[in-house]
């Protein structure tokens, strides 16, 4: 009769089937340290990223660099506001500090800057167009209400729930379009030494 195995026994069987020689424990330990150092660099203006990176031995420095790179790339986002623009700039500075092929990296950054400029222009253009078309659609209703009340009304189109809902939908479409291009640029950064 087969005996019922405990959860511990089942886990030990699965563990014995794994080839732990292939698991690199240095990566498990040092990549998160690279992530943390990059996060500090993004927050602290005087943080010496290269000093931290060079404080690690040559045998694990690649893992720390990988953690830093992952964090910097993850922090490059579409520039929706000034804080995001500053964060992008700082992440790019960090990548320039830790990558060797600075010429290729600068070229990718120029492409990213163009992408961000086009995104900002498209963002503003779409917002202005939506605001104008929404105001035109609301004008007849506003005029009818003014006649009914016998007073002039000031309607802020940008605060209207229907406008906000439509803008959110339009913004999501715009973001999806530009996010795909941003991901391609991030992949170029990853491939740069």
């Amino acid at each position: 009769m087969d005996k019922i195995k405990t959860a511990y026994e089942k886990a030990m069987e699965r563990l014995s089937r794994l080839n732990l020689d292939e698991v690199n424990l240095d990566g498990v330990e040092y990549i998160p340290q690279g992530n943390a150092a990059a996060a500090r660099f993004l927050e602290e203006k005087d943080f010496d990223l290269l000093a931290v990176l060079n404080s690690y031995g040559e045998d694990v420095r690649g893992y720390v660099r990988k953690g830093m790179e992952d964090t910097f790339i993850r922090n490059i986002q579409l520039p929706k506001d000034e804080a995001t623009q500053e964060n992008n700039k700082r992440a790019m500075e960090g990548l320039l500090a830790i990558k060797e092929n600075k010429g290729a990296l600068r070229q990718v950054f120029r492409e990213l800057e163009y992408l961000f400029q086009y995104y900002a222009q498209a963002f503003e253009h779409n917002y202005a167009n939506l605001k104008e078309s929404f105001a035109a659609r609301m004008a007849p209703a506003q005029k009818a209400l003014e006649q009914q009340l016998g007073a002039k009304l000031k309607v802020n189109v940008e605060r209207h729930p229907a406008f906000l809902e439509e803008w959110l939908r339009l913004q999501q479409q715009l973001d999806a379009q530009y996010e795909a291009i941003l991901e391609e640029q991030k992949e170029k950064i990853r491939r740069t030494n």
Side-chain angles (χ1 to χ4, degrees):
M1 180 173 172
D2 291 331
K3 82 175 197 178
I4 299 173
K5 295 180 182 176
T6 65
Y8 174 77
E9 290 170 324
K10 289 179 184 178
M12 291 308 291
E13 283 179 9
R14 284 193 299 269
L15 187 60
S16 69
R17 288 191 297 260
L18 292 176
N19 186 357
L20 291 181
D21 294 336
E22 295 176 7
V23 176
N24 190 332
L25 297 179
D26 286 340
V28 172
E29 180 179 353
Y30 291 104
I31 289 175
Q33 290 180 25
N35 294 139
R40 281 193 60 199
F41 178 81
L42 290 170
E43 292 294 319
E44 300 173 20
K45 298 296 179 202
D46 296 331
F47 187 76
D48 191 347
L49 188 67
L50 287 179
V52 171
L53 181 60
N54 292 327
S55 71
Y56 289 92
E58 193 65 40
D59 55 331
V60 296
R61 197 173 296 154
Y63 298 112
V64 176
R65 183 179 284 116
K66 168 116 176 65
M68 290 175 172
E69 178 183 317
D70 290 346
T71 298
F72 290 138
I73 290 173
R74 195 173 36 254
N75 274 278
I76 296 174
Q77 301 171 0
L78 293 175
K80 295 181 188 245
D81 55 31
E82 203 169 305
T84 307
Q85 290 173 354
E86 282 299 312
N87 200 54
N88 286 346
K89 181 180 173 197
R90 191 76 173 145
M92 289 183 217
E93 289 171 6
L95 285 164
L96 268 174
I98 64 171
K99 293 273 203 172
E100 292 179 22
N101 192 344
K102 297 183 187 325
L105 197 56
R106 283 188 180 99
Q107 177 58 37
V108 176
F109 290 164
R110 281 191 290 275
E111 292 171 13
L112 271 175
E113 288 300 323
Y114 288 129
L115 174 69
F116 293 159
Q117 288 172 5
Y118 287 127
Y119 174 79
Q121 289 171 355
F123 190 90
E124 290 174 21
H125 179 74
N126 283 323
Y127 188 84
N129 283 350
L130 178 63
K131 183 179 172 183
E132 186 179 310
S133 71
F134 199 83
R137 286 184 287 174
M138 286 194 62
Q142 180 181 350
K143 192 170 187 167
L145 192 56
E146 286 174 350
Q147 287 178 344
Q148 213 175 27
L149 296 174
K152 272 286 201 198
L153 293 177
K154 177 89 171 132
V155 176
N156 187 347
V157 173
E158 295 169 296
R159 293 184 185 259
H160 195 281
F163 172 82
L164 294 172
E165 184 179 322
E166 205 169 322
W167 171 238
L168 181 61
R169 183 185 52 74
L170 191 61
Q171 188 177 2
Q172 288 171 341
Q173 290 173 352
L174 183 68
D175 287 356
Q177 178 184 5
Y178 280 85
E179 282 288 346
I181 301 167
L182 179 58
E183 279 308 311
E184 291 173 12
Q185 296 302 318
K186 287 181 177 184
E187 192 54 42
K188 285 182 184 179
I189 294 170
R190 286 183 188 95
R191 289 192 309 258
T192 304
N193 296 338

